[in-house]
């Protein structure tokens, strides 16, 4: 079973109520080969919500208490992101996920790139909070951009 970001399956769960439909991921869900997850909603965030970025590092740093997840207005939502990451980890275990495909650049789901915490549209290398937690627990996490390499 593959665990995938809900937005990639066409669900309107992103911060602004949009989605990032990826046709192959949607097909995998329709064929019952993939299950969706949205760590941000699972952590208690709403739709819509303010954009958030990791400040002071990446998802590993957030998990280790050395960085925070901050909304554009300055509100600290770190605990909600951590809560959502652990909920996604539980789901990955329940479905016995053999692969996890998460939305690149997200503060939750980015697997190799995230925004740099300055809310200026600039990215940096790093993992989001959920991606980091899943990797630490032995799950293979990739972005939608890498999917075709693994199918």
């Amino acid at each position: 079973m593959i665990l995938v970001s809900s937005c990639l399956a066409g669900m309107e769960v992103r911060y602004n109520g949009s989605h990032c439909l990826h046709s192959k991921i949607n097909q995998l869900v329709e064929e019952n080969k993939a299950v969706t997850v949205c760590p941000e909603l699972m952590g208690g965030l709403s739709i819509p919500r303010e954009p958030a970025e990791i400040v002071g590092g990446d998802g590993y740093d957030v998990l280790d208490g050395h960085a925070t997840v901050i909304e554009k207005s300055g509100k600290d939502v770190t605990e909600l992101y951590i809560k959502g990451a652990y909920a996604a980890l539980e789901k990955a275990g329940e479905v016995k996920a053999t692969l996890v495909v998460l939305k690149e650049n997200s503060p939750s789901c980015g697997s190799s790139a995230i925004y740099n915490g300055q809310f200026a549209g600039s990215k940096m290398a790093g993992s989001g909070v959920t991606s980091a937690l899943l990797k630490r627990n032995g799950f293979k996490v990739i972005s939608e951009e890498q999917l075709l390499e693994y199918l």
Side-chain angles (χ1 to χ4, degrees):
M1 185 60 65
I2 302 171
L3 191 70
V4 299
S5 291
S6 298
C7 62
L8 295 173
M11 297 177 185
E12 297 175 335
V13 296
R14 296 184 71 225
Y15 73 96
N16 60 3
S18 68
H19 62 77
C20 298
L21 179 63
H22 186 287
S23 59
K24 183 61 181 171
I25 290 174
N26 188 50
Q27 179 185 346
L28 291 168
V29 171
E30 288 178 355
E31 294 171 352
N32 294 316
K33 294 177 181 174
V35 174
T36 62
V37 64
C38 180
E40 293 172 10
L41 294 184
M42 295 166 84
L45 293 161
S46 62
I47 306 166
R49 57 189 170 273
E50 278 192 80
E53 295 186 11
I54 297 174
V55 175
D58 70 358
Y60 291 102
D61 298 308
V62 171
L63 294 171
D64 294 340
H66 304 300
T68 54
V69 185
I70 304 294
E71 289 183 334
K72 192 169 187 177
S73 67
K75 180 181 176 187
D76 185 332
V77 289
T78 304
E79 291 306 313
L80 297 175
Y81 276 76
I82 291 172
K83 179 182 175 187
Y86 277 94
L89 175 63
E90 185 175 325
K91 183 75 168 183
E94 286 173 7
V95 302
K96 297 176 176 54
T98 56
L99 181 65
V100 181
V101 184
L102 299 178
K103 178 70 185 111
E104 195 67 283
N105 306 316
S106 159
S108 289
C109 297
S111 62
S112 62
I114 56 173
Y115 286 96
N116 71 0
Q118 297 178 358
F119 295 94
S122 297
K123 299 171 191 168
M124 65 180 212
S127 295
V129 180
T130 299
S131 179
L133 184 63
L134 289 167
K135 288 176 185 178
R136 273 195 178 161
N137 283 273
F139 289 93
K140 176 69 178 170
V141 181
I142 63 168
S143 74
E144 72 279 13
E145 298 160 8
Q146 300 167 297
L147 179 63
L148 297 180
E149 298 170 27
Y150 288 87
L151 295 179

